[in-house]
Amino acid sequence: MNNLSAPPSLAPLFTDILAAAARIAPHAHTTPVLRSRAIDALAGCELHFKCENLQRGGAFKFRGACNAVFSLAEDEVARGIVTQSSGNHGGAIALAASLRGGRATVVAPHNTPKIKLAAIRAYGAEIVACEPDQASRDAMTAQVLARTGGVLVHPFNDPRVIAGQGTATLELLGSAPDLDAVIAPVSGGGLLSGTAIAAHGLNPAIEVFGAEPEGARDAHDSLRAGQRITGRKANTICDGLRAELGTLTFPILSEHLRDILLVDDAQVVAAMRLIWERMKLVVEPSGAVPLAVVLAHRERFAGRRVGLVVSGGNVDLDLVADLFASKPV
């Protein structure tokens, strides 16, 4: 095992999510759970949108980052915090580190959206560029750790991060306790792992689904194969969903998930546009994937009460017009 992975024995428990909720309460927003009768009618089911696009930093990532950073000892914070990120987690770590009085270094792919890089810089973190593939991210992160002597907070392969991400579903089910299913996007699996542990800690019978773009379907295929599939090059507009499952998240998802459902980028853009138009919410492509899944798999959710984790809203507004024009509803 290298310092970029974590053994499965460190998987967080439901009690860790409860502890995370108390730890981050002074810092994180309790985001709203919103409804849309118009979208319900289109979907044929009752949808409850957990709006993490309204979280601090514009994404759910602040929950896990905050829990991890505020779990560190003072001497660890003094060494500096290192992470890798396609954007949202990097901004969340930078913000959490600044709140804790520490410094952060973020390894980010060179194709990370400008709005996300700007947020990382605004919170005072250093950015180190790398190639987009996971191997390059890991190699550069290892170099930064060796150079700085910092402490790694991995974006998803960290039990503290997973526990923090699970607090969104605690809030969701507190607001809508009788849901039949919960759907969250999947990339490295931190959000979906926390979602599953929290959901089943509150209601063992609830079904938990992952939502994934066709162009980055390694999680879907990994669960089908019974082993992690790595080394693929993702090809999707969902820049927040291009990582691959970690050694910690894969067994959690294998145990808890009902299924991972796939959609293509055109379906994601259609769902994104629907949320913008009908709910007046700014949502990035990754955050629209759960709704896209419901609309593409109506038979799976017909007549049911379904919670959707809207993971983030950090989208480059300069690109939105072209995005909607190129892939109309």
Side-chain angles (χ1 to χ4, degrees):
M1 183 186 73
N2 60 40
N3 60 358
L4 301 184
S5 62
S9 60
L10 292 179
L13 304 174
F14 180 65
T15 52
D16 296 315
I17 297 177
L18 296 176
R23 184 175 293 114
I24 71 174
H27 311 288
H29 295 326
T30 299
T31 55
V33 177
L34 300 182
R35 301 284 314 283
S36 169
R37 284 179 290 184
I39 298 180
D40 283 358
L42 289 171
C45 60
E46 182 180 305
L47 298 175
H48 297 253
F49 295 80
K50 179 59 173 170
C51 296
E52 286 298 291
N53 56 311
L54 302 178
Q55 186 53 258
R56 292 187 73 174
F60 76 94
K61 291 284 192 177
F62 182 69
R63 295 176 180 273
C66 185
N67 188 53
V69 169
F70 278 85
S71 297
L72 297 174
E74 290 293 338
D75 63 316
E76 291 178 306
V77 175
R79 288 163 52 194
I81 300 162
V82 177
T83 195
Q84 56 176 254
S85 174
S86 59
N88 285 337
H89 176 73
I93 286 290
L95 173 56
S98 69
L99 292 172
R100 188 74 197 274
R103 57 183 175 83
T105 303
V106 179
V107 174
H110 61 72
N111 61 350
T112 298
K114 292 180 181 178
I115 186 175
K116 297 183 179 182
L117 294 175
I120 294 170
R121 293 191 183 95
Y123 293 130
E126 176 190 356
I127 297 174
V128 177
C130 69
E131 293 300 314
D133 62 280
Q134 191 64 50
S136 297
R137 295 188 195 198
D138 289 345
M140 184 59 72
T141 302
Q143 291 179 33
V144 172
L145 287 168
R147 172 173 61 83
T148 65
V151 176
L152 176 69
V153 176
H154 196 277
F156 51 84
N157 219 44
D158 185 312
R160 303 162 299 185
V161 170
I162 293 171
Q165 316 306 29
T167 62
T169 296
L170 278 185
E171 293 176 9
L172 169 62
L173 292 177
S175 177
D178 298 322
L179 295 180
D180 300 304
V182 178
I183 308 174
V186 59
S187 182
L191 172 62
L192 189 54
S193 292
T195 297
I197 294 169
H200 287 155
L202 291 169
N203 177 7
I206 197 169
E207 291 189 329
V208 182
F209 292 86
E212 190 172 37
E214 284 274 7
R217 56 182 289 163
D218 61 284
H220 172 277
D221 293 351
S222 293
L223 264 63
R224 290 288 193 279
Q227 61 183 5
R228 289 172 63 233
I229 294 174
T230 62
R232 290 180 177 175
K233 183 176 181 180
N235 181 22
T236 175
I237 61 169
C238 303
D239 59 89
L241 303 183
R242 294 172 181 162
E244 52 196 35
L245 293 182
T247 55
L248 180 55
T249 57
F250 173 73
I252 296 172
L253 299 185
S254 297
E255 177 184 353
H256 285 277
L257 283 199
R258 178 69 178 86
D259 203 355
I260 293 179
L261 301 175
L262 300 171
V263 285
D264 61 33
D265 279 358
Q267 292 168 313
V268 172
V269 173
M272 178 181 167
R273 181 167 185 163
L274 194 60
I275 294 172
W276 282 54
E277 290 183 341
R278 302 299 176 92
M279 301 182 72
K280 315 307 177 188
L281 291 173
V282 175
V283 176
E284 63 186 273
S286 300
V289 176
L291 176 58
V293 156
V294 170
L295 295 175
H297 301 271
R298 285 177 173 82
E299 72 286 351
R300 298 290 293 266
F301 304 103
R304 307 182 77 193
R305 303 181 74 233
V306 183
L308 306 180
V309 181
V310 180
S311 55
N314 294 318
V315 62
D316 188 342
L317 296 181
D318 291 334
L319 301 179
V320 168
D322 289 341
L323 187 65
F324 287 158
S326 63
K327 297 185 182 295
V329 178

